[in-house]
Amino acid sequence: MSRHSLTRAARTSNMRWLMSLAHMEPSPVSRWVALRAALAIGLPTAVGLALDQSAAAALVALGALPAITGDNGGPYRNRALSIGSTVFGGALGYLLGNLISGHGLLTSGAMTVLVLAASLIGTFNNIAAVATLQFAVYVIVGSSLTSTLPPWLPSVLVGAGGIFGLALTLSGWVVNPIAPERAAVAMAYRKLAAMFAAIGTSRIMAARRDMEAAMTNAYDILLTARGRAAGPSPRLARLAAQLQACTPLTNAAMALARAGRVVPPDCARVMNRLADRVENNADPDPGDDIAALRLADMPQLADALAQALPLLDGGRQQTGDPLATLGPVRPRTPWRVLARTYRPGPTTVRYLIRLGLCLIAAEAVALAVSLPRSYWVPLIVVVIFKPNFGSVFARALQSCGGSVVGVAISATVLALDRNGLASLLTVGVLASLLPWSIRRNYGLFSAILLPILMLLIGALQPGSWYIALARLVDVGVAAAIVLLVGYLPWIRIERNNLDHAVSTAMSTLAAYLNTVFQADPASRHDLRASAYARLSDLRIALQRGLSEPRLVSRRALAWWPVEVALERVANAISDTAWSPQAATAAPSAAQTAQLATALQTMSTAVELGLPMPAEHITAPSPALQDVAAEIESLRAALTGPDFAAAPGAGAPKHPIHQV
């Protein structure tokens, strides 16, 4: 390759890396959510300004902040648990931070121990991750801020703000208690409509992936809602029936996709109309839609819609409980059992060691350089280094970029504000943008969150506008510590984590294939959901890897063809297991075990860096012909283009391990 070609390839790689850092995720947020966020932060601030109690009001607003950042949507009960845990974590953290403050190095040591303990608990699940992050942040803030209020009052005010924010979030439950469940079922129809529109185009893989995720999410939400229902629920039964009506429509769409048919736009419009009726709790009345599909020369879809009509009507035309067909309610494992059986693995231990080293370095740098209000450095370290929220490397750089904008906003407001009104308006407007920014891009989130924190904390410890510039130095120091202490020395581990994610996805697909044909209908959904969830985890890991340094991003880019091949394997298994012929000509356990063993062998080879199997994969039965063909394509992708280039050299090694 010429020097010009190498330069152009490097320039393209750098441009792809910069674009990954600036990538904005689609994030539609309703106006009510934005208004609720503005009220949660702006209303306490306005009351404090009116009563000349800005310090107390700032604590209430700080307590309400977790109700915004901890709201991940979904059913109200799940949101209450997530936001309530986050609010409790913030209030408890502020209390403990106040108790340990003012003791010099002992304060720093106690703060580090509390943050590490919280980070360990945060590896349990996503709710624990958000709650313990808030706990860690408020431990640092509480141990560093001084207040003229009585020692017990700040934590009470923070807790009161959290309860106020939680009440605002759950206010919609009074009007429409199952609105999130209905929205989830409607979203399944919308994703199915998008899949109809993508049939025959290059978008079909992504559209099917979104449809599978929406169906899984809707099933999980309805199962959870049924598990907590005190008795029969006609509204949930109606939604369950309407969700089951997606099955014949999905099967028809899969058949058209395999045949390579291009579907007229009327088909997608029919699905979107059904979604609107489900979301608005209106009668489906698909008679005209069935006629329109027949006129569009789509008899398969018209027949599927006619077959789904009794279910679309909410199950009123059939006997039995539609909720019963969703499968058994999953038993919940008590927290005490989870805590007793939990054992931190090597990944968790490494994360705690890396975080501990970063906190020690943050405290050492802050003391050595005498940074003003140096608690910002460990605070930013904790937020950036949290692994649950994306690439650490990308967040460090995005935080620096976002902080430049945030500091400019803060400095401008602090320099111009004379009576507090400018700060109040700024906090309210920025708070309304938080739910949107937190889902879009971490740099954008930093640019909005930093001015809110600075203006609120500024009411507790007033200072002139030049303090805003000091925050930019703090962010730069924190990002440098995370990269130099917590990331770059461990970068090879980050690269090996990608191999482990690919291996895990293969193992899950092997288990899926080995059991789905013999499983009862009640457990098939769980098997399918687990397989596609693991593929989703792999895609997220690879997307994060693309924003890492070249040592990791090259490995992530090399794994993408394998990820596509794994998706095709999962789709082939699902299509075969759910096809009408599967009930009459299902493969035997021995036949599925043969292909599952081949998948597991490749998984082990990827995990350990062993040679790939050289034998071609063949179908043990006609029913598994499509599955075997996709597994053979996966083996070819893993083997690479250099396969069999050196006869007699033995089985080829996976070329990605040479990247």
Side-chain angles (χ1 to χ4, degrees):
M1 183 179 289
S2 66
R3 179 177 300 178
H4 176 70
S5 299
L6 287 172
T7 303
R8 184 172 58 187
R11 201 173 292 159
T12 302
S13 177
N14 292 335
M15 183 62 65
R16 186 188 302 115
W17 175 73
L18 289 173
M19 289 176 64
S20 69
L21 291 181
H23 176 67
M24 296 284 185
E25 295 290 340
S27 176
V29 176
S30 70
R31 295 176 182 176
W32 164 238
V33 172
L35 176 62
R36 192 174 63 222
L39 288 175
I41 304 298
L43 190 57
T45 308
V47 172
L49 183 63
L51 300 179
D52 196 22
Q53 295 290 332
S54 297
L59 290 170
V60 176
L62 283 173
L65 193 59
I68 303 173
T69 58
D71 185 8
N72 295 318
Y76 285 111
R77 182 178 183 276
N78 294 354
R79 294 165 76 182
L81 179 61
S82 175
I83 298 173
S85 301
T86 306
V87 168
F88 176 76
L92 180 62
Y94 202 95
L95 174 63
L96 295 180
N98 269 339
L99 293 177
I100 64 174
S101 64
H103 301 289
L105 290 177
L106 289 178
T107 296
S108 299
M111 180 195 72
T112 302
V113 170
L114 287 173
V115 170
L116 291 178
S119 300
L120 175 61
I121 298 173
T123 59
F124 283 9
N125 55 38
N126 288 333
I127 292 179
V130 177
T132 53
L133 173 63
Q134 209 68 43
F135 172 87
V137 167
Y138 279 56
V139 161
I140 297 172
V141 173
S143 65
S144 306
L145 293 180
T146 58
S147 174
T148 58
L149 300 172
W152 55 270
L153 188 55
S155 300
V156 172
L157 292 174
V158 170
I163 294 173
F164 171 64
L166 179 60
L168 282 176
T169 301
L170 301 182
S171 58
W173 177 84
V174 179
V175 180
N176 195 343
I178 65 165
E181 287 84 354
R182 184 176 293 116
V185 176
M187 182 56 68
Y189 279 92
R190 297 197 194 284
K191 294 302 182 182
L192 185 57
M195 184 178 168
F196 277 129
I199 289 175
T201 72
S202 59
R203 306 190 310 273
I204 184 62
M205 286 284 287
R208 174 167 183 172
R209 180 191 310 149
D210 292 342
M211 186 274 298
E212 295 279 1
M215 290 284 290
T216 298
N217 182 58
Y219 267 105
D220 288 342
I221 285 177
L222 288 184
L223 277 172
T224 303
R226 188 190 67 175
R228 66 173 183 269
S233 174
R235 290 180 296 184
L236 286 178
R238 178 177 171 84
L239 287 176
Q242 291 171 338
L243 180 59
Q244 292 166 49
C246 282
T247 300
L249 297 169
T250 302
N251 291 339
M254 300 301 182
L256 290 170
R258 287 193 295 271
R261 292 282 303 274
V262 177
V263 179
D266 286 345
C267 300
R269 284 195 284 267
V270 166
M271 293 299 106
N272 279 318
R273 280 196 293 270
L274 289 176
D276 292 338
R277 290 165 184 160
V278 168
E279 193 160 18
N280 296 322
N281 199 23
D283 291 332
D285 191 23
D288 294 340
D289 293 331
I290 294 174
L293 291 174
R294 295 198 187 279
L295 287 175
D297 194 22
M298 283 288 137
Q300 308 97 319
L301 293 182
D303 293 342
L305 187 55
Q307 179 187 349
L309 180 57
L311 293 169
L312 282 169
D313 197 38
R316 288 195 287 262
Q317 301 178 24
Q318 65 172 11
T319 58
D321 181 11
L323 284 170
T325 60
L326 290 178
V329 179
R330 301 184 188 93
R332 292 186 177 275
T333 305
W335 274 95
R336 61 180 182 277
V337 176
L338 288 175
R340 189 166 58 244
T341 58
Y342 178 77
R343 297 289 185 276
T347 302
T348 301
V349 173
R350 281 196 299 268
Y351 160 65
L352 294 176
I353 292 174
R354 293 163 66 181
L355 177 58
L357 291 174
C358 287
L359 288 174
I360 292 172
E363 290 293 328
V365 170
L367 290 174
V369 186
S370 299
L371 294 174
R373 302 183 186 182
S374 58
Y375 60 88
W376 279 88
V377 178
L379 186 151
I380 297 170
V381 164
V382 168
V383 173
I384 291 177
F385 201 76
K386 195 69 172 176
N388 309 69
F389 309 112
S391 164
V392 172
F393 182 81
R395 286 207 314 276
L397 299 182
Q398 289 170 340
S399 180
C400 289
S403 296
V404 172
V405 179
V407 164
I409 295 172
S410 303
T412 303
V413 173
L414 291 173
L416 299 178
D417 196 11
R418 293 293 178 267
N419 52 15
L421 288 177
S423 296
L424 172 62
L425 292 175
T426 303
V427 165
V429 171
L430 293 178
S432 69
L433 298 176
L434 267 183
W436 167 73
S437 66
I438 196 172
R439 296 172 177 86
R440 292 281 281 174
N441 181 278
Y442 188 77
L444 182 63
F445 174 63
S446 299
I448 293 176
L449 180 63
L450 184 63
I452 294 176
L453 288 176
M454 290 193 61
L455 294 174
L456 292 179
I457 293 177
L460 298 171
Q461 284 189 347
S464 56
W465 67 271
Y466 72 86
I467 291 295
L469 302 179
R471 297 293 74 78
L472 184 58
V473 176
D474 294 338
V475 173
V477 170
I481 289 172
V482 168
L483 294 178
L484 298 177
V485 178
Y487 181 81
L488 292 178
W490 313 78
I491 192 170
R492 290 192 177 275
I493 294 175
E494 299 288 338
R495 188 175 67 166
N496 293 337
N497 286 341
L498 296 179
D499 302 348
H500 178 70
V502 174
S503 174
T504 302
M506 285 187 196
S507 295
T508 304
L509 286 184
Y512 179 40
L513 173 60
N514 202 28
T515 55
V516 68
F517 290 96
Q518 288 75 40
D520 59 277
S523 57
R524 276 192 172 192
H525 164 69
D526 286 344
L527 293 170
R528 182 173 183 166
S530 175
Y532 282 97
R534 196 62 63 199
L535 287 175
S536 177
D537 292 342
L538 174 58
R539 282 193 303 274
I540 292 171
L542 295 181
Q543 287 166 353
R544 290 177 180 175
L546 291 177
S547 60
E548 306 283 349
R550 189 166 175 78
L551 187 66
V552 178
S553 60
R554 287 180 62 203
R555 180 70 67 94
L557 193 61
W559 276 126
W560 271 114
V562 176
E563 191 276 334
V564 173
L566 285 171
E567 277 198 57
R568 294 186 181 276
V569 170
N571 292 343
I573 296 172
S574 298
D575 293 347
T576 304
W578 268 265
S579 66
Q581 295 79 12
T584 58
S588 65
Q591 291 168 339
T592 55
Q594 180 179 334
L595 294 181
T597 301
L599 269 177
Q600 187 59 51
T601 301
M602 288 187 280
S603 171
T604 304
V606 169
E607 181 73 23
L608 302 179
L610 299 175
M612 284 291 141
E615 298 80 11
H616 290 272
I617 308 297
T618 57
S621 72
L624 292 173
Q625 186 171 357
D626 292 342
V627 178
E630 295 299 344
I631 294 178
E632 170 59 23
S633 298
L634 171 65
R635 189 194 68 84
L638 286 165
T639 304
D642 297 329
F643 175 56
K653 289 188 177 181
H654 182 7
I656 291 181
H657 289 294
Q658 303 169 11
V659 173

